[in-house]
Every structure is written in C-alpha cells, then in structure tokens.
C-alpha cells in the first residue's frame, strides 16, 4: 500500500498501489463479505446470539466431530461395499426359498441385507461442494441429540445396520444415545438377543412397548426417555451418509422452532443399492398431500429454490414423510408431540405437518443432510382392527386441523365419512384444546401461505361423485398407468367400483377429484374425450368447459357436441336429447 503514497517513482508506485488494494479487497471478501467467511459460515445466516463474552469465535475441528466408532476397513469386493448393490449370482433352491421368505416378510430383500456388512460405508462424499465446505460454530455449539428408532419385527440386519450407521457417522460429542423402541415384536431373536448385542455399544438402549400400539406411541415412549437436547427420529432400515447430522442440528440451533428432515435417498429394496447424493441435483422434492390425505412428493417450485442463497439453505416443505427428522426436544413437547390416540401407522406425519405450520413452526428439508431409507414394496404390517385404523388416524387429524376443508376429504373417502358419522374416531377434545392454547392459525391460512400452489376443490361443489350414464349404466373411468396419473389418456365408461370421482367446478370443468389437476377434455376432431391438465387460468379452456343441460346432457359449448357412452367408450357426438346414451348424472 505504501505504493499509493510514492511520488518519486509514480509508475512503480501505482502498480504497488493497485496490488495493495487488490489484497485488501481479497481480505474483505474472504473474511467479511464471503458466505464462506468465519463471520458468515455457509448455512448459518447469522451466528446464534450469545450474551456470554467467553464464547470465542471459531469452528469445530474435524477431530472434534469424529464419530464414536471407526468403520472397519472394507474390502471393496465385499457384498454391498461402498453402498453398491448386492449381486446374488446363481442361487440354490434353498437360497431361493430363503430369499422369497425374506421378501414376503419385510417387503424388501432381507436375503441381500443379511449378506451385507453391518458396517459397510457408503463411499466418497458426493454432496454439493457447499455442503462439504460448511463449518459449524463451536461456541455456542451444536446441541446434542438422542436418536430414536422404533421398530416392529424389523429384520435384524437392517435394524443393526441402522444403529451402526449412526455410530459410524454421528459425531461422538453430539450423540447422547441411541434409543431402540420395540413395538411389541414377536420375532424371537429381537425379543431375546437385542439387549445383549447392544450392551457393548454403551450408548444404545432398548425400550419395549409391551402391547403393540404402533409407531406413534412407540416414538412418544422414546421421546420421553430421551436425554438429548434434540430428538432425531429414524426408521429401522436406514443408512446415514457422512455429515448428515451436523446440518440438522445446526439449523435447530439457529432456529429452534424448525422441524427438519434430511434429504431421503432410496436404498433399493431389491438389492440394497444406496443411491448416492448428486453434487448438483437437477430436481428437488418436497412433501405434499392430496385431498384423500395421501402423502406424496412433488418438485420444489422455482420460487422456493430461488429464495435459497446456496445449497446449505433449508427448503420449506408443506408436509413431510415423517419418519426421518430432528426437532428440539423442548419444542417437540411445546408443540404437542404427537396425538397419542393415533394407532399403529399412518397419518401422524400429516398431523404434525399441519400442526407445526399452523402453530408457528417451520417444516424444512436440509439438502446437505442425506439419509438412505428402504422404501418397501408395500406395508408388511398387519393391523389388529383392519386397515381402517389408518383412516381413523386421518379423521382425527382432519377433525382437529382442517376446519371446513375436512368435508373435501370426507367426500373423497367414504370410509372416513362413515367413521366420522359413527363418531368412532375417539375423543379429540384434548387436541382441539392444544390448538386453542397455542393460538394456532386456521387451515385456510395454511393453504394460502404455506401451500398456495395446491388446488383447493370447492368445499361444497354443486355436483360431484361418479358420473353415471343412464343408457349403459356405466361410469366415467380412466385407468391410471401403473402408479401415475397421466394426461392424454382416453376416458372410458365402466362398471368398476374404483371408477373415479369427479366434481363440477365453478369454472364449468369436470375435474378429477382429490387434487390431481386433470380435467375432462374434448377432442371434437377425433370425436373423443380424454383427461388433460386443467387450464390454470381464471376461465376454463374451451375444450374443458361443459354444461349440464335440462335434459341431463353434458355439452361442450365450443364444439356444440355432447358426451355419449358407446359400449365401453365415451365419445363426443351431435347432441340428441332423446338418447339415453347421452344422459348423465352424478351418483
Ligand atoms: C412412512 C414413514 C414412517 C411413518 C409412516 C406413516 C418415512 C421414510 N417413513 O412409513 O416413519 O411416518 O410413513 O405412519 O418417512 N412400525 C412400528 N409399529 C407398527 C408399524 C411400523 O413400530 O405398527 C415401525 C417400523 O418398524 C418402521 C416405522 O415404524 O421403523 C415406519 O414404518 P414403515 O417403515 O413400515 O413405513 P414407511 O417407511 O412406509
Ligand atoms: Mn420405513
């Protein structure tokens, strides 16, 4: 910088002066302005407030964040090593039988799991570079956590691999304990050998729910016993990627009312291949729900992605899958933990999603935290009172959190409607009191502020139900392709119980109910009718507008043609009021 004050050798002075200024600018950028500066660590918008002056600046060192258990060195050729798939090769008849039995019991490949090391690593860290650069303040430091894993007849190898995976990845200093809560398993090995096996691991405890009551009360049991400041819940068939825990705890330190989930990666149920994080993901998913109260995934809207300054920032999500998440223990208690009268499985995730948002909390996905989970083919669990227990849980949450919007749900789920009518969903008065006590906002606020992208059907549409043709006594029907609803599919007329529900909207659309945005679409050229994405505008597209005539015909005004059943098909044809095949009614 002295160059700036040199007058005797102006040229040399100027060069030094520029270099000096550049150096100062570099210092400023890297120490103060850059998001990587110690004053602004990645992901931490601000350093948590502390009144204590004895809290010096500085980050945890790698040494301080070391896990409790070092992984044994892995033979790269071992089955499933580095998260690779298990390849069975030719199997003997006995092996094939074992394989089949394991799959039937768990709805994933237990045979493969049993042959993969309980200590396998998942390979190199392939997260986004921002995640790898992220540092965490040592003071005030990260809160410690109890990891709670509930299970019912989980396969031994997946359960234990979940436990070891936590011990191999979670920093010892932050992991208070792992609590395994058995929801009354009947498998002998789980009943007799678990305590002995985990005793040597010192910080792993087993609690047992005597009677099978389901994952909700089991998690509550774990939460009550937990000694950590944060509760971290995992399913009993997970594997954690390096660095998964710290970002969750850091977000809670920064924002104690945040309920945070990791990004969940798939562990292939057929061969236990763990899908690795991608450094620059093209797609991000968040949780949603449809009006049958089914949880699902959807792409995160551009706006939400733009709100984030870098990869370490949380993604807000309207709902969460509910199995893998961390929450401050005191906030969990404050916000009403769980509805302890929900039974067995299902619904608690939507209940908690609505509750957290409506009562002032935040529900977020932290993309730098990645955990693998085996998504089963279908649920292997039996439910003592049949599968209507799941619907009963949904009715409980609708009754407490959804105000008048619950009617949309009842319209689409007849089992739910009858549970409501017969008043057989138990007492929800305590949960309603909780909503009062916490002065929670209403469901309309939730829809407008948290999930404005969703389609909200009319609470009481003038007409809805299955649309039946009087001539053929058949109902409008589309078979979804595999698991998905796709536009472009032809509409038929069938006599299937599963034939869809439609509703006649105020925009004159005939729209598939339960929130999937598909509308009855006329193609006068081909004289046919299919389902297409509904027009997002105020007015319906001309091909998607329909009027019900006095003679019960369904007419598309722009083409002047009417809907008619013709055998199993639905066609668009000239309107003839006398024809029964053109008469339709909602049933
Ligand atoms: C998803 C969630 C799960 C839960 C459920 C809805 C993820 C990845 N998973 O379940 O956490 O929110 O939706 O309720 O978000 N279990 C019991 N007792 C039972 C049934 C299950 O303890 O009666 C255990 C089971 O061993 C497992 C967990 O609960 O650890 C979740 O069950 P799952 O894995 O069969 O269901 P999943 O992943 O579809
Ligand atoms: Mn699961």
């Amino acid at each position: 910088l002295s160059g700036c004050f040199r007058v005797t050798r102006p040229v040399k002075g100027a060069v030094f002066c520029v270099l000096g200024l550049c150096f100062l600018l570099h210092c400023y950028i890297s120490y103060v302005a850059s998001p990587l500066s110690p004053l602004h660590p990645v992901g931490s918008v601000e350093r948590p407030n502390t009144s204590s002056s004895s809290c010096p600046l500085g980050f945890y060192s790698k040494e301080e964040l070391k896990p409790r258990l070092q992984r044994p060195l892995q033979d790269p050729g071992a089955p499933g090593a580095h998260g690779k798939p298990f390849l069975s090769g030719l199997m003997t008849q006995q092996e094939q039988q074992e394989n089949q039995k394991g799959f039937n019991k768990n709805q994933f490949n237990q045979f493969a799991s049993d042959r993969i090391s309980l200590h396998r690593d998942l390979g190199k860290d392939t997260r986004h570079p921002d995640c790898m650069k992220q540092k965490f303040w040592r003071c005030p430091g990260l809160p410690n956590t109890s990891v709670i894993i509930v299970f019912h007849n989980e396969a031994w190898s997946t359960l234990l691999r979940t436990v070891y995976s936590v011990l191999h990845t979670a920093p010892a200093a932050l992991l208070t304990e792992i609590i395994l809560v058995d929801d009354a398993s009947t498998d002998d090995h789980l009943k007799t050998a678990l305590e002995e096996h985990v005793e040597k691991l010192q910080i792993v405890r087993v609690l047992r729910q005597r009677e099978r009551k389901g994952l909700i009360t089991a998690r509550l049991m774990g939460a009550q016993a937990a000694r950590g400041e944060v509760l971290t819940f995992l399913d009993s068939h997970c594997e954690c990627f390096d660095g998964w825990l710290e970002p969750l705890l850091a977000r809670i330190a920064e924002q104690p009312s945040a309920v945070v989930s990791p990004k969940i990666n798939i562990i292939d149920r057929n061969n236990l291949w763990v899908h690795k994080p991608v450094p620059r993901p093209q797609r991000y998913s968040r949780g949603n729900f449809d009006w049958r109260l089914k949880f699902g995934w959807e792409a995160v809207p551009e706006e939400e992605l733009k709100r984030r300054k870098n990869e370490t920032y949380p993604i807000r999500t309207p709902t969460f899958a509910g199995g893998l998440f961390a929450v401050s223990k005191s906030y969990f208690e404050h916000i009403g933990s769980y509805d302890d009268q929900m039974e067995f499985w299902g619904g608690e995730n939507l209940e908690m999603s609505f509750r957290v948002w409506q009562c002032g909390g935040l529900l977020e996905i932290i993309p730098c935290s990645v955990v693998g989970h085996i998504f089963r083919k279908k649920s292997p669990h039996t439910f003592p009172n049949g599968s209507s227990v799941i619907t009963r849980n949904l009715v409980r949450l609708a009754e407490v959190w959804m105000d008048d919007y619950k009617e949309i749900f009842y319209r689409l789920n007849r089992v739910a409607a009858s549970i409501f009518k017969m008043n057989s969903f138990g007492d929800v008065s305590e949960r309603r009191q909780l909503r009062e006590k916490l002065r929670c906002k209403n469901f309309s606020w939730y829809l407008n502020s948290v999930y404005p992208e969703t389609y909200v059907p009319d609470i009481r549409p003038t007409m809805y139900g299955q649309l039946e043709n009087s001539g053929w006594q058949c109902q409008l029907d589309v078979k979804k392709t595999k698991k998905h609803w796709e536009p472009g599919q032809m509409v038929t007329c069938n006599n299937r119980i599963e034939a869809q529900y439609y509703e006649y909207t105020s925009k004159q659309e005939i729209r598939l109910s339960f929130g999937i945005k598909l509308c009855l679409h006329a193609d006068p050229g081909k004289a046919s009718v299919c389902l297409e994405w509904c027009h997002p505008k105020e007015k319906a597209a001309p091909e998607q507008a329909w009027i019900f005539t006095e003679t019960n015909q369904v007419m598309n005004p722009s083409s002047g043609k009417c809907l008619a059943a013709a055998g199993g098909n639905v066609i668009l044809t000239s309107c003839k009021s006398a024809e029964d095949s053109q008469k339709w009614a909602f049933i």
Side-chain angles (χ1 to χ4, degrees), residues 39-253:
L39 299 178
H40 301 270
V42 175
S44 178
V45 187
E46 265 170 42
R47 182 165 176 261
N49 264 341
T50 171
S51 48
S52 154
S53 56
S54 63
C55 200
L57 282 176
F59 299 124
Y60 284 109
S61 65
K62 264 207 171 129
E63 199 58 33
E64 286 170 303
L65 294 178
K66 254 192 150 159
R68 185 171 194 89
L69 275 188
Q70 200 72 19
R71 275 200 170 96
L73 271 183
Q74 190 141 46
D75 168 6
H82 307 322
K84 282 188 296 203
F86 170 82
L87 303 170
S88 65
L90 270 184
M91 287 194 276
T92 64
Q93 204 173 2
Q94 202 185 352
E95 284 173 332
Q96 280 176 21
Q97 275 171 1
E98 187 189 336
N99 190 320
Q100 197 55 48
K101 210 172 133 202
F103 207 102
N104 291 345
K105 177 166 182 286
N106 302 282
Q107 294 300 318
F108 59 73
N109 192 343
Q110 178 189 344
F111 182 88
S113 173
D114 291 350
R115 279 153 185 79
I116 290 173
S117 163
L118 297 180
H119 305 275
R120 74 156 160 186
D121 75 88
L122 301 181
K124 269 207 323 248
D125 195 341
T126 53
R127 291 173 302 162
H128 192 284
D130 288 351
C131 301
M132 259 106 82
K133 282 182 220 145
Q134 192 174 18
K135 291 179 173 163
F136 304 97
W137 294 109
R138 191 195 291 134
C139 180
L142 297 174
N144 57 35
T145 186
S146 301
V147 172
I148 299 168
I149 301 166
V150 306
F151 64 94
H152 174 73
N153 287 347
E154 182 65 53
W156 178 268
S157 58
T158 39
L159 176 63
L160 267 293
R161 196 176 301 106
T162 309
V163 172
Y164 282 114
S165 165
V166 172
L167 292 169
H168 289 315
T169 53
L174 305 178
L175 182 64
T176 308
E177 62 195 340
I178 299 178
I179 302 178
L180 302 176
V181 189
D182 175 17
D183 180 20
S185 294
T186 50
D187 292 359
D188 279 345
H189 204 48
L190 288 175
K191 274 163 61 181
T192 55
L194 199 55
E195 277 88 349
E196 197 189 330
H197 185 100
V198 299
E199 199 178 349
K200 62 174 188 283
L201 302 173
Q202 291 167 357
I203 59 163
V204 184
R205 301 196 264 159
V206 182
L207 306 179
R208 303 213 186 241
Q209 195 158 245
R210 290 234 175 129
E211 208 186 306
R212 168 126 183 262
K213 288 198 202 145
L215 69 94
I216 297 132
T217 48
R219 282 194 195 143
L220 283 171
M221 187 185 222
Q224 207 148 45
R227 293 182 281 237
E229 295 163 274
V230 166
L231 309 172
T232 303
F233 294 97
L234 293 179
D235 269 9
S236 43
H237 31 257
C238 291
E239 288 178 66
C240 309
F241 282 88
D242 287 334
W244 69 284
L245 185 62
E246 298 90 318
L248 298 177
L249 300 179
R251 179 58 181 154
I252 291 170

Side-chain angles (χ1 to χ4, degrees), residues 126-129 263 265 276-286 298-306 308 311 315 367:
T126 53
R127 291 173 302 162
H128 192 284
K263 175 174 185 317
N265 270 21
K276 305 236 326 170
V278 276
R280 293 185 195 279
Q282 300 294 309
R283 243 191 87 223
Y284 291 85
S285 297
R286 64 176 191 177
E298 68 176 26
V300 177
E302 270 310 303
E303 261 163 48
E304 173 62 11
L305 292 178
K306 277 197 211 126
R308 303 166 65 236
E311 189 63 13
I315 292 176

Side-chain angles (χ1 to χ4, degrees), residues 110 113 129 142 187 235 240 244-245 248 266 357 365 384 396 399 404 445 472 510 551:
Q110 178 189 344
S113 173
L142 297 174
D187 292 359
D235 269 9
C240 309
W244 69 284
L245 185 62
L248 298 177
I266 294 172
W357 279 118
I365 294 167
R396 289 185 67 82
E399 283 299 314
D404 283 352
W445 173 88
W472 294 84
I510 296 177
T551 45

Side-chain angles (χ1 to χ4, degrees), residues 373-496:
H373 168 260
I374 309 179
F375 290 89
R376 311 176 198 265
K377 192 157 182 225
K378 57 179 190 195
S379 176
H381 311 295
T382 52
F383 301 112
N385 307 324
S387 62
S388 68
V389 292
I390 303 172
T391 317
R392 180 184 170 276
N393 291 347
L394 298 177
V395 171
R396 289 185 67 82
L397 86 89
E399 283 299 314
V400 178
W401 299 104
M402 290 175 70
D403 309 324
D404 283 352
Y405 295 89
K406 68 187 181 188
E407 294 194 20
I408 306 173
F409 166 56
Y410 292 149
R411 194 159 75 232
L412 296 171
N413 187 329
R414 300 225 160 147
V415 178
S418 82
I419 290 176
F420 169 70
K421 255 207 201 114
M422 285 154 50
N423 205 359
S424 53
F425 54 93
D427 181 5
V428 292
S429 55
E430 263 181 46
R431 300 305 284 176
R432 287 193 177 138
Q433 275 161 24
L434 171 82
R435 182 175 161 171
E436 285 287 302
K437 190 182 94 189
L438 297 176
R439 296 169 186 272
C440 307
K441 300 197 177 81
N442 60 26
F443 200 65
S444 161
W445 173 88
Y446 168 84
L447 292 172
N448 290 328
S449 315
V450 180
Y451 196 19
E453 299 82 10
T454 193
Y455 167 67
V456 183
D458 295 342
I459 290 183
R460 290 179 200 96
T462 42
M463 294 190 276
Y464 67 89
Q466 291 174 325
L467 195 53
E468 188 171 81
N469 183 275
S470 348
W472 294 84
Q473 305 272 299
C474 58
Q475 295 94 36
L476 271 200
D477 189 23
V478 180
K479 283 199 185 138
K480 61 179 173 187
T481 44
K482 288 190 191 145
K483 278 184 131 181
H484 303 284
W485 287 100
E486 276 169 13
Q489 273 192 280
M490 300 301 291
V491 175
T492 59
C493 202
N494 266 321
N495 241 318
R496 281 199 316 146

